[in-house]
Amino acid sequence: MINMKRTHNCGEVGVKDIDHEIYLLGWVHRRRDHGGLIFLDLRDRSGIVQVVVSSQDAELFATAEKLRIEYVVQVSGKAVKRSPETINQQIKTGEIEIKCSNLEILNTSKTPPIEIADATTEPDEMVRLRYRYLDLRKDKMRENLVFRHKLIRAMANYLDQKGFIEIETPFLTKSTPEGARDYLVPSRVNPGKFYALPQSPQLFKQLLMIAGMEKYFQVARCFRDEDLRSDRQPEFTQLDLEMSFVTRDDVIEVIEGTLKHTLAELEKDIDKYRGKRIPLIELPFPRLTWDEAMNRFGSDKPDLRFGLELVDISDLVRDTECMIFARTVAAGGAVKCINVKEGENKLSRAELEKLEETAKKLGAKGLAWLVLTSNGPKSPIAKFFKEEELELIYTRTKCETGDVLLFVADYFDIACNVLGEVRLELGKKMQLIDYNSFHFTWVIDFPLFEYSKTEKRWVSRHHPFTSPQGNLDEIEEKFLKEPGRIKAQAYDLVLNGTEIGGGSIRIHRADIQHKIFKIIGIGEEEINRRFGFLIEALEYGAPPHGGVALGLDRLVMMLAGMDSIRDVIAFPKTQSALCPLTGAPDVVDPQQLKDIHIRTAI
Ligand code: ASP
């Protein structure tokens, strides 16, 4: 009988099939013995169906008795209606069952270390990753991978319709500076030389524009040898795209269209994950300039699911007797404030102290507070302020009786960052966040450069191929005058306070690209060695172009409401970049090392 005959998938047998002969293939999900009857839940990728084996057929029954969970079987028999009291509403196929007439064991299974049929228990993650092929048999994981597949298909279909073509770019290549360490691959045939695995297809997609491809996309694997945080992986996937003859708004429009289309296609899946109807996203997404995002939310990836905005009161406290405030402003810093509405009742003294700890950990000197009680202000700093000064602060911050004001006075960046983090902590603590809503935002007009304290020089904030705003020919003069004020034609896409993508209009002129490399301190020799091919290509009629990349793993994770990026990647690595399943990375034979001209120092 082992002919792999299959008329149905398990999860798709239904009332319509009653009295038909059904052939199924799958795994024994559960097995229950009820005296003369054995009930099997048979599972394949589509779901589960109940199979009943009766002892009336002794040989068949003997085979069924041998079954253990996760055995692989072929089953055939008639679909019959279940009696009303045995109908199972929990599963799609719950109104019928298969009366087994043939049963073949295709393979046995050891007792799995992961309980596949039990959605409530989750073993240690090391066990899950060690036996990933079993972990992926669980409903949740299978659903996540199917969801990911649908998302990628929907995006690709949309881009295809819009005239984009998918082109693969090499893995064995030269380093592209996306700001991380490269994974290196030694070349056997070129002793002493190394390929770098791409941190992104950045330079190749620009070369494709120079090659006249006009609209490119790729579901691209990227490799970055970084210390891993919980939502990072050494290899991850981007939806990468690039377009010629475009402005920022054209690129933004394509991404918005892609997401709108994709989320509409996945509407049912998303609602199922969330257990409720999630409204479709609306276009266009709001846009905040980088200055606005920092000023109002203290972050370049603002979480717009709740308010609690930062208010700048620097101008109001310039001349107060509250020295910490006045001196900060005099020194060019900022005083920022958050009004916690009804904070008097909502924030305990201990919670205030915890917030202050957070602020200090992030580098602030402190977190000043003021409670506006019905008897006036209560605060260690209130005595330094005149009544009129306080009134102005209350008006600016819309502070009413019962509210609590929190202040940070520091360098602009620190004041914003610290209060931005305090805002997020308050948002969570005060349950202001709707975890089932999607707030997409563009952050635009980023600074082109930022000062690296460790390297003691100005570096590109995105990558050095990002075009400055304004007259390109003035870039050197502007850099000499106010490097921090030059804005980039760069944009980031933020979802619920997480950066999920970013891109820019690129530099398409060789002379300007050369100048930018020099400005950020790359010497002539290094420019030629690392980027000579790009500069040269730009000299052959490079069209104006720009693009963007979305982090697919993170997007899938957030849409599906998963906590870990590893739950949406088939074979992820651990936090220490290990694969517990295969044992990678591993030592290799001495001969292999010899072949690639490598001697290890370990
Ligand atoms: N290559 C960039 C990145 O990986 C994205 C882009 O500029 O298109 O972040």
Side-chain angles (χ1 to χ4, degrees):
M1 174 191 158
I2 309 181
N3 49 15
M4 300 300 155
K5 183 165 172 181
R6 182 187 231 178
T7 56
H8 290 70
N9 293 318
C10 294
E12 287 156 10
V13 195
V15 178
K16 62 182 186 327
D17 303 304
I18 286 173
D19 286 341
H20 292 170
E21 191 69 10
I22 308 290
Y23 287 76
L24 302 166
L25 293 157
W27 287 262
V28 176
H29 191 62
R30 290 193 194 89
R31 202 198 92 155
R32 296 177 296 279
D33 278 359
H34 284 233
L37 293 175
I38 289 177
F39 291 90
L40 306 174
D41 282 349
L42 191 64
R43 183 194 74 237
D44 64 16
R45 201 182 75 194
S46 66
I48 283 172
V49 67
Q50 176 162 292
V51 176
V52 194
V53 189
S54 150
S55 56
Q56 277 165 0
D57 181 335
E59 202 185 321
L60 189 70
F61 197 74
T63 311
E65 281 189 310
K66 286 190 212 142
L67 294 177
R68 299 288 174 269
I69 51 168
E70 298 309 310
Y71 273 34
V72 188
V73 293
Q74 177 169 43
V75 164
S76 65
K78 257 203 184 90
V80 296
K81 196 163 174 49
R82 292 201 204 180
S83 57
E85 71 283 3
T86 60
I87 286 179
N88 180 354
Q89 302 288 3
Q90 307 299 320
I91 55 172
K92 264 197 302 184
T93 59
E95 285 184 61
I96 56 106
E97 60 194 11
I98 309 294
K99 242 176 118 194
C100 181
S101 53
N102 248 311
L103 170 65
E104 208 74 44
I105 298 178
L106 305 184
N107 209 349
T108 59
S109 169
K110 289 206 229 170
T111 306
I114 290 177
E115 287 192 45
I116 290 148
D118 180 358
T120 55
T121 59
E122 207 143 85
D124 184 71
E125 195 168 31
M126 279 307 268
V127 178
R128 292 180 57 201
L129 294 181
R130 163 89 172 74
Y131 297 96
R132 191 60 158 180
Y133 46 88
L134 297 178
D135 191 44
L136 293 178
R137 287 185 192 171
K138 290 191 101 170
D139 287 347
K140 175 179 111 177
M141 297 304 289
R142 184 188 62 241
E143 279 163 16
N144 288 354
L145 291 189
V146 173
F147 180 72
R148 182 183 173 116
H149 157 77
K150 287 188 191 168
L151 176 125
I152 291 174
R153 286 272 59 81
M155 288 181 152
N157 286 342
Y158 182 83
L159 291 171
D160 175 56
Q161 278 168 29
K162 294 282 165 191
F164 285 78
I165 53 174
E166 184 164 12
I167 306 176
E168 290 155 273
T169 52
F171 276 1
L172 296 178
T173 177
K174 247 170 117 115
S175 156
T176 302
E178 297 280 4
R181 201 176 286 117
D182 288 319
Y183 276 101
L184 298 175
V185 182
S187 168
R188 178 181 58 82
V189 290
N190 300 281
K193 297 206 168 156
F194 294 82
Y195 302 98
L197 298 181
Q199 292 187 29
S200 84
Q202 184 62 36
L203 292 179
F204 284 103
K205 65 175 172 172
Q206 292 193 235
L207 292 171
L208 286 170
M209 294 304 102
I210 300 172
M213 294 302 138
E214 297 204 21
K215 290 178 172 182
Y216 138 96
F217 85 98
Q218 184 181 189
V219 178
R221 192 67 61 80
C222 306
F223 305 85
R224 299 185 191 177
D225 188 1
E226 295 176 296
D227 290 334
L228 301 181
R229 289 192 246 124
S230 62
D231 60 349
R232 290 253 175 97
Q233 282 281 307
E235 50 181 314
F236 59 93
T237 308
Q238 286 185 341
L239 177 77
D240 191 45
L241 63 86
E242 196 77 5
M243 308 163 74
S244 293
F245 309 115
V246 287
T247 62
R248 173 193 72 195
D249 291 357
D250 298 315
V251 180
I252 285 185
E253 196 183 306
V254 167
I255 288 296
E256 290 186 346
T258 307
L259 285 169
K260 173 129 187 149
H261 168 82
T262 304
L263 267 65
E265 291 277 294
L266 299 179
E267 192 183 353
K268 283 210 186 86
D269 301 86
I270 292 174
D271 290 352
K272 190 173 160 217
Y273 270 122
R274 303 305 177 126
K276 64 188 257 204
R277 192 63 272 290
I278 307 289
L280 284 177
I281 53 170
E282 283 181 30
L283 301 185
F285 298 155
R287 295 182 194 184
L288 291 173
T289 64
W290 181 83
D291 290 323
E292 225 180 324
M294 293 305 288
N295 266 313
R296 289 172 52 195
F297 301 95
S299 168
D300 59 5
K301 37 182 193 299
D303 190 339
L304 299 191
R305 288 175 297 180
F306 65 102
L308 271 187
E309 289 191 22
L310 279 55
V311 182
D312 199 301
I313 57 161
S314 308
D315 57 320
L316 303 181
V317 297
R318 174 169 289 133
D319 302 317
T320 60
E321 290 183 3
C322 178
M323 278 313 169
I324 352 163
F325 285 9
R327 278 200 202 120
T328 302
V329 180
V335 181
K336 297 251 160 201
C337 174
I338 284 183
N339 178 359
V340 187
K341 283 276 156 208
E342 295 166 36
E344 186 178 7
N345 293 327
K346 291 184 180 160
L347 282 180
S348 67
R349 190 59 185 259
E351 281 170 328
L352 273 178
E353 278 162 17
K354 243 188 106 210
L355 289 173
E356 172 148 29
E357 253 170 60
T358 305
K360 283 188 174 156
K361 254 190 239 149
L362 292 164
K365 290 182 267 312
L367 180 77
W369 52 267
L370 181 150
V371 187
L372 187 53
T373 72
S374 44
N375 299 322
K378 207 172 82 190
S379 161
I381 56 166
K383 57 177 180 281
F384 301 118
F385 289 92
K386 299 197 190 83
E387 202 147 299
E388 317 83 87
E389 288 172 339
L390 285 176
E391 283 304 330
L392 286 175
I393 295 176
Y394 298 154
T395 311
R396 168 88 49 96
T397 58
K398 302 199 174 71
C399 180
E400 298 166 318
T401 307
D403 294 353
V404 173
L405 298 179
L406 303 174
F407 308 88
V408 175
D410 219 304
Y411 293 113
F412 175 80
D413 283 7
I414 297 187
C416 290
N417 284 336
V418 169
L419 221 44
E421 285 298 324
V422 167
R423 170 180 179 267
L424 290 179
E425 215 171 295
L426 281 167
K428 280 183 211 137
K429 198 192 305 273
M430 298 174 72
Q431 294 172 353
L432 303 176
I433 301 173
D434 174 2
Y435 287 95
N436 284 321
S437 63
F438 299 127
H439 284 264
F440 288 94
T441 327
W442 291 102
V443 178
I444 57 174
D445 298 343
F446 276 81
L448 185 65
F449 301 113
E450 68 187 351
Y451 190 74
S452 159
K453 286 191 188 120
T454 45
E455 296 180 48
K456 298 206 172 51
R457 64 183 178 101
W458 289 89
V459 295
S460 296
R461 202 183 167 100
H462 278 80
H463 46 56
F465 318 110
T466 302
S467 177
Q469 293 185 7
N471 185 344
L472 298 183
D473 291 306
E474 290 169 3
I475 186 69
E476 279 164 321
E477 290 158 46
K478 284 193 194 158
F479 181 78
L480 288 175
K481 259 193 249 151
E482 282 186 300
R485 280 193 181 272
I486 304 173
K487 294 285 196 252
Q489 296 207 50
Y491 29 87
D492 273 2
L493 183 61
V494 176
L495 169 57
N496 296 348
T498 298
E499 182 201 323
I500 55 156
S504 58
I505 296 299
R506 325 296 182 188
I507 297 165
H508 69 281
R509 273 174 48 189
D511 58 332
I512 303 297
Q513 185 62 73
H514 194 263
K515 279 183 190 169
I516 293 286
F517 286 140
K518 277 181 62 189
I519 282 177
I520 56 174
I522 307 185
E524 201 65 38
E525 182 277 325
E526 194 183 348
I527 296 178
N528 286 336
R529 179 169 46 83
R530 291 180 62 192
F531 305 115
F533 68 97
L534 174 71
I535 305 255
E536 184 175 68
L538 291 174
E539 286 166 344
Y540 286 97
H545 60 285
V548 65
L550 298 188
L552 267 188
D553 310 294
R554 213 175 285 178
L555 181 63
V556 173
M557 171 185 96
M558 293 182 74
L559 293 178
M562 295 294 128
D563 295 326
S564 164
I565 205 166
R566 294 185 292 282
D567 281 349
V568 299
I569 298 174
F571 298 103
K573 309 268 187 301
T574 63
Q575 296 258 11
S576 24
L578 301 174
C579 170
L581 170 55
T582 61
D586 206 350
V587 291
V588 295
D589 294 339
Q591 185 57 43
Q592 283 178 290
L593 282 182
K594 225 172 148 201
D595 288 347
I596 52 170
H597 325 285
I598 294 276
R599 213 176 298 137
T600 62
I602 309 290

